Amino acid sequence: LAAVLDAAERPPVAGAARERHLRARGAIRGLLQRAREAYERFGDPPIAIDELAPLLRRLLEAQTFNPRVGPGLVHVVDAAAAAFGRFADVTLAGLVEGEWPTASGRNVFLPSSLLKDLGWPNDADRRAAARATFDDLLRLPRRSLALSTFTLEDDAIVRPSAYLEDLDALALAAAPAAVSAVAPFALAVAPLAIDGVARGTEPARWPLAGAPAGPADVGPRPPIAYAVTALDRYRSCPFKYFARDVLGLEEEVVDEPGLSARARGTLVHSVFQAFFDAWTAAGHGAIDAAALPAARALFAEVVDRVLETVPPSERAIERAVLLGSAVGAGLGERAFRFEAARPQRLVARELEVPLDGEYVLAGGDRPIRLRGTADRIDLLGDGTLRLIDYKTGKASNARELLQVKVYGVCAETRLRGRHGRAWTVGDAGYLAFGRGDDLFAAVVTPETRETVLAEAGAEARAVVDAVEAGTFPVAPDDLFTCNFCGFAAVCRKDYVGDE
């Protein structure tokens, strides 16, 4: 246009040709003027790079992720956009309080009276409009409708939408629905299938029979190899078992000075295992009053060797705990005195005995796979075995625990035939170094063996049945333990009373 305009600036001197050139020049100038106006009105003005970058990204995304269109696809839309579509099947998801309807915040700048005078809708009008929109969505699909809700979100209980309370009043024809297995933590999902829109029929009856019985149920689980300590964890609180043994969550460990309780327990187990290995290798047997000096000397050597694995800043404290000080006896001295007070002929001492295998517990009709390791089993000359589990803390609830009792049942089966004879449980309990009154917390004695092992077998089978049924309520045996639980961040402990 500019080149043509330059030519038009030199028109012929006269005649019809001059007239045509003048008209063409006027037309071209008019075109340029209109083009300039169009550019000023609709053209792209200069913009900063921060504004240009998002535009380029959107253009690239539009070319890279070209959405597929056509039949047979799932469309994810919000409630407002869904009203403008045509769908064969519709699922309304997340029907919880606060989302259906959406919670509306109050205006903090203008009073309600002024907003009302300006024609602003009040809360009642907004609720009515939201309910009308929901009712329209119920009649949106041509073929089927599914509604979905849940009860647990981000470790908090949420209530279902109030809209679900009035479903029976709707004139919809219900069709049977197959409810699939519910994933962990989607504890109250209940899809509801409704066949079409049938006006004038009986109110819908929602098929919930296949849904879990409540928020504590996650559905049947297949049998596994159960750690014996995990059975006690379920009995202390089923939800704690669910969090650790089903979901595989890690317990929150509270930072504390020195070694943690778990690290100290591991250290104590390592020291006693190393000591008894060295004691047996040196040809020693039971520790009686005469053998105490030799046991003390060897124990000190073992402690100094094992403490090389402990941070230097903690060695002095842990050495005093294990070997004692002027204030009190150490763990080694207390353990030796315990054994010396029971002068029985020792046939063999088994350490860290694996008890993994299938066992038929008392009163059961099917084998159960169990996992566990007994810290120490002493085979005594009278054909009995003394089963000991080390605990660095107290064992105040020792009689309620299943661990040593079930270990006793497993040990009788596993050690049958060892040294050419059968073995029965004599004493079984915990060397609880945190107890000040009595070091050994016995849970099985020769007199109570039959009754205690039978009751332990029945309780263990009951726990296994509950786990395989998928029942994990928040039901601690002692509410005080909730203050120290490592799963407080994911536990619904505020609702323990409602379970």
Side-chain angles (χ1 to χ4, degrees):
L1 288 175
V4 174
L5 185 59
D6 290 341
E9 292 293 341
R10 298 184 295 275
V13 293
R18 176 182 174 83
E19 187 67 25
R20 288 196 299 271
H21 276 276
L22 292 175
R23 287 198 301 270
R25 185 173 62 183
I28 293 173
R29 287 187 180 278
L31 276 175
L32 288 177
Q33 180 63 30
R34 288 194 293 274
R36 181 183 299 109
E37 293 175 355
Y39 176 76
E40 292 175 350
R41 184 175 179 183
F42 303 106
D44 294 330
I47 60 175
I49 187 63
D50 292 340
E51 299 177 6
L52 178 63
L55 176 62
L56 294 178
R57 282 198 297 269
R58 286 195 294 271
L59 291 174
L60 290 173
E61 290 172 356
Q63 297 298 322
T64 307
F65 305 102
N66 190 20
R68 295 180 297 165
V69 296
L73 299 178
V74 176
H75 301 271
V76 181
V77 295
D78 59 21
F84 298 92
R86 300 179 60 188
F87 306 99
D89 306 284
V90 170
T91 297
L92 300 183
L95 294 175
V96 296
E97 195 175 68
E99 297 290 340
W100 295 82
T102 304
S104 59
R106 294 193 175 275
N107 193 306
V108 297
F109 300 104
L110 299 175
S112 301
S113 57
L114 178 59
L115 292 175
K116 182 179 179 181
D117 294 339
L118 294 175
W120 201 266
N122 56 32
D123 291 343
D125 294 337
R126 281 194 292 267
R127 287 194 297 267
R131 183 53 192 259
T133 302
F134 178 75
D135 291 344
D136 290 342
L137 292 176
L138 293 179
R139 292 170 172 79
L140 179 64
R142 298 192 309 271
R143 185 167 54 198
S144 67
L145 170 69
L147 309 179
S148 176
T149 185
F150 53 89
T151 59
L152 186 62
E153 181 180 25
D154 291 336
D155 312 330
I157 294 292
V158 293
R159 295 180 180 275
S161 169
Y163 293 161
L164 299 179
E165 299 175 359
D166 301 328
L167 289 180
D168 286 345
L170 298 177
L172 301 177
V179 181
S180 60
V182 182
F185 275 109
L187 300 182
V189 173
L192 309 175
I194 301 110
D195 184 18
V197 177
R199 303 180 184 276
T201 60
E202 291 297 322
R205 293 295 181 264
W206 310 103
L208 298 177
D217 301 323
V218 299
R221 299 183 55 78
I224 60 173
Y226 299 95
V228 179
T229 53
L231 302 183
D232 278 322
R233 186 158 43 250
Y234 184 96
R235 294 171 73 243
S236 66
C237 180
F239 187 83
K240 183 184 294 187
Y241 177 97
F242 178 70
R244 177 170 178 176
D245 298 274
V246 177
L247 299 182
L249 303 180
E250 293 289 338
E251 289 190 71
E252 289 187 359
V253 180
V254 179
D255 292 334
E256 51 186 298
L259 295 182
S260 65
R262 181 176 298 180
R264 177 167 291 163
T266 302
L267 174 65
V268 169
H269 280 72
S270 302
V271 166
F272 276 106
Q273 182 177 1
F275 166 77
F276 282 114
D277 284 341
W279 181 261
T280 304
H284 300 298
I287 299 177
D288 52 17
L292 281 176
R296 294 185 186 114
L298 180 59
F299 189 74
E301 296 177 8
V302 170
V303 166
D304 290 336
R305 184 171 66 250
V306 175
L307 284 181
E308 293 297 325
T309 62
V310 174
S313 59
E314 309 297 336
R315 290 175 189 171
I317 297 176
E318 300 306 324
R319 192 175 193 277
V321 170
L322 291 165
L323 297 180
S325 63
V327 216
L331 303 189
E333 179 70 17
R334 297 177 67 191
F336 301 153
R337 290 178 184 176
F338 158 76
E339 186 169 342
R342 290 164 169 77
Q344 294 174 289
R345 187 174 69 85
L346 182 69
V347 177
R349 182 182 284 111
E350 304 281 344
L351 304 173
E352 299 297 321
V353 183
L355 299 174
D356 300 359
E358 291 190 347
Y359 301 92
V360 178
L361 301 179
D365 56 357
R366 68 180 179 96
I368 297 175
R369 284 187 295 160
L370 297 174
R371 296 185 293 110
T373 301
D375 293 342
R376 171 180 160 190
I377 299 178
D378 295 340
L379 305 181
L380 306 178
D382 59 356
T384 63
L385 56 87
R386 180 170 58 207
L387 195 148
I388 296 175
D389 188 84
Y390 299 118
K391 284 192 178 299
T392 55
K394 297 182 179 180
S396 53
N397 61 338
R399 296 188 182 279
E400 305 300 325
L401 298 177
L402 293 177
Q403 182 184 5
V404 167
K405 303 172 187 176
V406 175
Y407 280 173
V409 176
C410 299
E412 288 184 348
T413 303
R414 179 58 61 90
L415 299 179
R416 184 176 294 119
R418 187 74 56 91
H419 299 286
R421 64 184 304 175
W423 303 91
T424 59
V425 176
D427 291 325
Y430 301 91
L431 273 182
F433 297 105
R435 292 169 63 99
D437 51 349
D438 185 12
L439 177 66
F440 186 65
V443 296
V444 181
T445 63
E447 295 77 22
T448 63
R449 170 191 170 277
E450 185 175 351
T451 303
V452 171
L453 296 188
E455 292 176 351
E459 292 179 13
R461 285 187 289 103
V463 172
V464 170
D465 291 341
V467 170
E468 294 180 359
T471 304
F472 304 103
V474 180
D477 58 350
D478 185 356
L479 292 179
F480 181 73
T481 60
C482 293
N483 298 323
F484 310 100
C485 180
F487 300 102
V490 296
C491 178
R492 296 171 289 119
K493 55 183 177 296
D494 291 341
Y495 299 87
V496 168
D498 298 334
E499 290 290 347

